[in-house]
Structures are given as C-alpha cells and as structure tokens.
C-alpha cells in the first residue's frame, strides 16, 4: 500500500538532519547559493524551475523543469524531499498547497498569499500596526487618477503582482512632469493595466533592510541592518552594518522580528525599510526568502543567510548572526560583460581581485544581458566605509 501525504508528513515531523533532501522552488542565483550551503551541510538538493539550464541546476542533484503553477510537478518535488523551501515568491498558491500535502513547506502558502500581492501586503502591514508610507490601492485607470490626486505629490506606481528590479513600475509627477490624463493612461499601461499600488514618493535619507530568520520551533534570529543603494531601481551595492544610530538599528530589528512572529514565519524574511529625512522608519516591502542585500552576510556574520535558510527549512537550531567584520557587496549586471555595441567582452576580474579583501561570486549564467544579475563582488574592511570603498573600487576596474 502506497504512503499517503499524511503518512509522509508524519514521518517528516521534527528536524531534518543531514542526509535528507531539500526541495527548492526556483533555480536562480538564490536557489544556487542555498543549494551550495545545503550540500556543504550534507543534504541532497532538488530544484523546480521553468529553465532546465537554471543557475542552481549546476549544483543540484535533480532539476524538475516546470512552471510555478504546475501542481503535479510541485507534488513531485515535495514527494522526493524531506522539506521544501523557495527562492522566489511567484510560485502559485495552489502549487505551494500541493507541496505542503507531501512535505513541510517553509515558508507556507498563507504567508505567501499576502506577500505576493503588494496591495494585500500593504494592507496587512497597516492592519497589524507596522508603519508604511502613504499609498492607495488601484484597480482601474480611474482609481489611479484618484490616487494621484489624493496622494498629492510625485507617485510611484507598482504592479500588485510580479515585477522586481524596477519591472512593472511607473512614475508620475517627477521632475515637474505634468500628471495629465495621457500620463496616467501611460502609467496604467506600463503596469499591465492591472491591479497596482500607488505610493507617495518620500524624501529619503537611507534605504535599509533587515533579515530575520524564524524556525518552526519559534526560535528567531535578527541580522544587523544592511544599508542599500539602488541605481535604476536595481540594487547596486549594499553594506553590513548600515551606518545608522544604534537606537534606530534596534528599532528596525524589532519591527522585522515582530513581522516574522505575526506571520509565524518558517524560513527567512527580508524587510526592506525607508529612513526618511525627517527621521521616520517605514516598511517598504517584504521578501520571504534570501535577499540580494544580505549576500554580504556570508562574510559579515557568523552565519550567512544561505546556511540560515537551510537551518530554518530543516528546523535545526538557528545560527549565530553576530557581526564578524564589516562587508560590502556590489552587484555585477550583464552590462559588465558587454561593449557599447552589444558585443561581449571579458571583465578584468584579475584587476578587481588585486584589491585586498575582495572576493568574486559568479552565478554561472551563460548569457549576459543588460540588467541581468550575473554575480557579485564582496569586500571586507575595518569599517563599513572601507568595505564599501574597496568593493566599488574593484567593480570600477572591471
């Protein structure tokens, strides 16, 4: 008689020890680095991704080629896994629910259902008393016009679902541009003429993020805040620790921990936050997975985010997140491999690595494209400023 989902879940209760199999929804660079951490701890790794040549495929024991809404493939991933986690939040709720029938799904579908929709996410944060900037839910072009008027200033428009690194976004009223019917119509089309959120642009002093890990047993570890700098709405560099007052850092960590507890998180959660020029600390967005801004945690903290993700998914004791040394990272986009005429070139990695404290991490993506994340540099220093200066100097040599 074959085992039922309930039989398998009963067998998989408790910690998942090395030798087990970790299933990962998503085979991009985050899945790859989670997989490397898992393999170093003695686990087998299975990945589900639409691309059979995905970045994580080079280190995984098995790749299931399937889309995010393929429930049958999700069940197959979970049936062969001791626990399942994710590196991308676009997996359908039906697929997550199906996986959860066969193996522990960490984080779970209930949390993802909130985070996948920016309107639901903003409403959830406000309902539970977490601070956000002014926003309006928008479900039609007419509502967008009303929202722009109500917010009374420059506005970011973001699609409710999908979209990251600047995709699925539009801006209205910046640089003195007129916000007339034509501009609103164009913004509505730019976000796919679908549900979106309109956010008032804020006067920002800094952008930070806080990574929090929470195990199924309720143990919580909150990382030191990271300070982030974006170019063209893509993270350019990040440094741990953020150069913010101790009191403000503690407040940010407290907010992140409370959000994780309110969700009953099982896994990782990156909480992106704004610090305004008048001193407000506001939650921007949530990411229930490892985060680009914490790639430096591998060198900055006793336990990096990728090992921590595996510990949380396996219900193991969480690792210490104490600071070891200031660390900065700089993203390497496909542009680094491209000449002005679009032909490919070899970046001068030897020159970059000549700077003390610098390391190179590439994601084994075979085709560079403008804006595509291909890897990152990391650098350590005696101070956060020194680490940032080193990593940016290394990137400039490429």
């Amino acid at each position: 008689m074959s085992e039922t989902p309930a039989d398998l879940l009963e067998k998989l209760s408790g910690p998942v020890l090395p030798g087990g199999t970790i299933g990962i929804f998503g085979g991009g660079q985050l899945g790859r680095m989670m997989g490397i951490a898992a393999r170093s701890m003695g686990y087998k790794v299975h990945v589900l991704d639409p691309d059979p040549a995905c970045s994580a495929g080079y280190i995984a024991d098995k790749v299931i080629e399937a889309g995010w809404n393929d429930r049958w493939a999700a069940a197959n991933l979970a049936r062969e896994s001791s626990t399942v986690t994710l590196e991308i939040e676009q997996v359908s709720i039906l697929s997550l629910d199906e996986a959860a029938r066969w193996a522990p799904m960490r984080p779970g579908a209930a949390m993802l259902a909130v985070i996948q929709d920016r309107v639901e996410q903003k409403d959830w944060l406000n309902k539970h008393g977490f601070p956000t900037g002014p926003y309006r839910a928008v479900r039609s072009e007419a509502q967008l016009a009303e929202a722009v008027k109500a917010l009374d200033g420059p506005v970011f428009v973001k699609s409710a679902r999908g979209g990251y690194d600047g995709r699925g976004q539009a801006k209205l009223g910046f640089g003195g541009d007129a916000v007339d019917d034509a501009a609103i119509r164009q913004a509505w089309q730019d976000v796919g003429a679908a549900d979106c959120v309109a956010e008032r642009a804020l006067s920002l002093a800094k952008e930070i993020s806080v990574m929090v890990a929470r195990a199924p047993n309720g143990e919580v570890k909150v990382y030191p805040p990271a300070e982030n700098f974006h170019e063209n709405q893509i993270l350019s560099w990040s440094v741990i620790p953020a150069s913010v007052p101790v009191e403000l850092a503690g407040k940010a960590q407290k907010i992140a921990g409370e959000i994780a507890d309110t969700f009953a998180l099982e896994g990782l959660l990156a909480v992106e936050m704004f610090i305004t020029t008048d001193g407000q600390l506001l939650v921007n967005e949530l990411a229930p997975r490892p985060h680009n801004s914490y790639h430096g945690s591998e060198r900055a903290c006793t336990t990096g985010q990728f090992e921590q993700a595996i510990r949380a998914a396996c219900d193991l004791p969480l690792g210490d997140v104490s600071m070891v040394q200031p660390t900065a990272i700089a993203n390497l986009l496909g542009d680094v491999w491209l000449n002005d005429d679009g032909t490919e070139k070899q970046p001068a990695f030897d020159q970059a690595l000549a700077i003390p404290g610098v390391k190179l991490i590439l994601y084994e993506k075979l085709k560079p494209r403008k804006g595509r994340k291909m890897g990152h540099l990391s650098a350590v220093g005696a101070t956060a400023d020194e680490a940032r200066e080193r990593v940016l100097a290394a990137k400039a040599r490429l």
Side-chain angles (χ1 to χ4, degrees):
M1 183 177 178
S2 62
E3 289 183 304
T4 67
D7 293 332
L8 285 174
L9 285 174
E10 178 65 26
K11 287 172 62 177
L12 294 173
S13 61
V16 178
L17 299 178
T21 299
I22 297 174
I24 303 174
F25 279 107
Q29 63 266 20
L30 301 179
R32 175 189 177 89
M33 288 183 276
M34 269 200 290
I36 290 171
R39 292 185 70 93
S40 72
M41 295 173 70
Y43 293 97
K44 295 183 283 295
V45 176
H46 290 187
V47 168
L48 184 151
D49 196 275
D51 181 3
C54 61
S55 180
Y58 296 99
I59 60 89
D61 296 279
K62 182 177 182 178
V63 176
I64 298 174
E65 181 184 355
W68 308 130
N69 60 351
D70 190 328
R71 295 173 60 187
W72 183 82
N76 280 346
L77 175 71
R79 274 195 292 262
E80 297 176 350
S81 300
S82 311
T83 184
V84 181
T85 188
L86 52 81
E87 63 119 42
I88 187 168
E89 52 265 49
Q90 275 73 47
V91 184
S92 76
I93 298 302
L94 290 176
S95 290
L96 295 173
D97 280 337
E98 186 63 34
R101 294 181 63 230
W102 299 95
M105 181 70 234
R106 296 165 177 158
M111 178 178 173
L112 267 293
V114 172
I115 291 178
Q116 283 180 354
D117 187 306
R118 285 187 175 88
V119 175
E120 293 290 333
Q121 185 182 138
K122 293 282 188 185
D123 288 349
W124 184 95
L125 288 165
N126 275 272
K127 175 184 174 182
H128 290 90
F130 298 110
T132 67
Y135 74 97
R136 291 291 186 278
V138 173
R139 307 193 187 279
S140 69
E141 185 178 324
Q143 284 189 356
L144 179 56
E146 294 169 3
V148 171
K149 184 178 180 179
L151 292 170
D152 189 27
V155 169
F156 288 101
V157 187
K158 302 177 182 178
S159 58
R161 291 184 169 270
Y164 59 95
D165 289 343
R167 301 179 184 93
Q169 298 188 20
K171 296 191 290 186
L172 286 167
F174 284 78
D177 291 343
V179 186
D180 53 19
D181 290 346
I184 289 171
R185 185 174 304 111
Q186 185 60 56
W188 176 246
Q189 294 301 319
D190 287 345
V191 297
D195 292 356
C196 55
V197 61
E199 302 174 358
R200 182 192 296 161
L202 303 169
S203 178
L204 299 183
K206 288 183 186 294
E207 295 183 43
I208 66 171
S209 52
V210 177
M211 177 63 73
V212 55
R214 187 177 184 278
N217 61 28
E219 182 186 12
V220 174
K221 295 287 186 180
V222 184
Y223 282 82
E227 181 175 341
N228 309 317
F229 179 78
H230 294 78
E231 292 180 345
N232 300 319
Q233 297 172 291
I234 300 175
L235 184 70
S236 177
W237 57 260
S238 183
V239 61
I240 305 172
S243 56
V244 298
V246 172
E247 181 181 347
L248 189 61
K251 182 178 179 181
Q253 290 174 301
K254 183 174 184 290
I255 289 172
E258 289 175 348
I259 291 173
D261 276 336
T262 305
F263 268 126
L265 167 71
E266 295 182 354
L268 297 187
L269 179 69
V271 182
E272 299 177 25
M273 302 185 194
F274 294 141
I275 302 173
T276 65
T277 51
D278 61 359
Q280 294 183 78
L281 182 63
L282 304 173
V283 178
N284 176 31
E285 288 192 353
L286 308 176
R289 50 170 172 77
H291 197 262
N292 195 174
S293 63
Y294 275 84
H295 289 351
S297 65
E298 303 301 298
R299 306 179 71 186
C301 303
T302 306
T303 307
Q305 67 167 341
F306 299 109
E307 177 185 334
Q308 197 77 288
I310 299 306
R311 286 177 177 243
C314 293
D315 202 12
L316 296 174
L318 297 179
D320 181 12
V321 296
S322 300
M323 281 290 305
V324 175
Q325 58 191 346
T327 304
I329 66 104
N331 274 331
L332 301 179
L333 305 182
D335 311 55
V336 173
W337 281 259
L338 299 174
N339 292 305
D340 291 340
D341 62 1
T343 57
E344 293 186 22
K345 65 179 180 180
Q346 175 61 54
F349 291 124
D350 55 335
Q351 298 299 312
L353 292 171
I355 294 178
V358 171
K359 286 189 177 182
L360 170 67
I361 297 88
L362 296 180
Y363 306 148
E364 214 164 349
K365 296 181 179 179
L366 302 182
K367 187 66 177 175
R369 296 193 302 269
K370 284 186 176 297
R372 188 184 196 193
K373 292 176 181 174
M374 301 289 291
H376 65 271
L377 294 167
S378 69
V380 298
T383 65
D385 285 343
E386 183 179 53
R388 182 180 64 251
E389 289 167 3
R390 284 178 172 179
V391 82
L392 293 180
K395 183 176 179 179
R397 293 188 176 189
L398 297 177

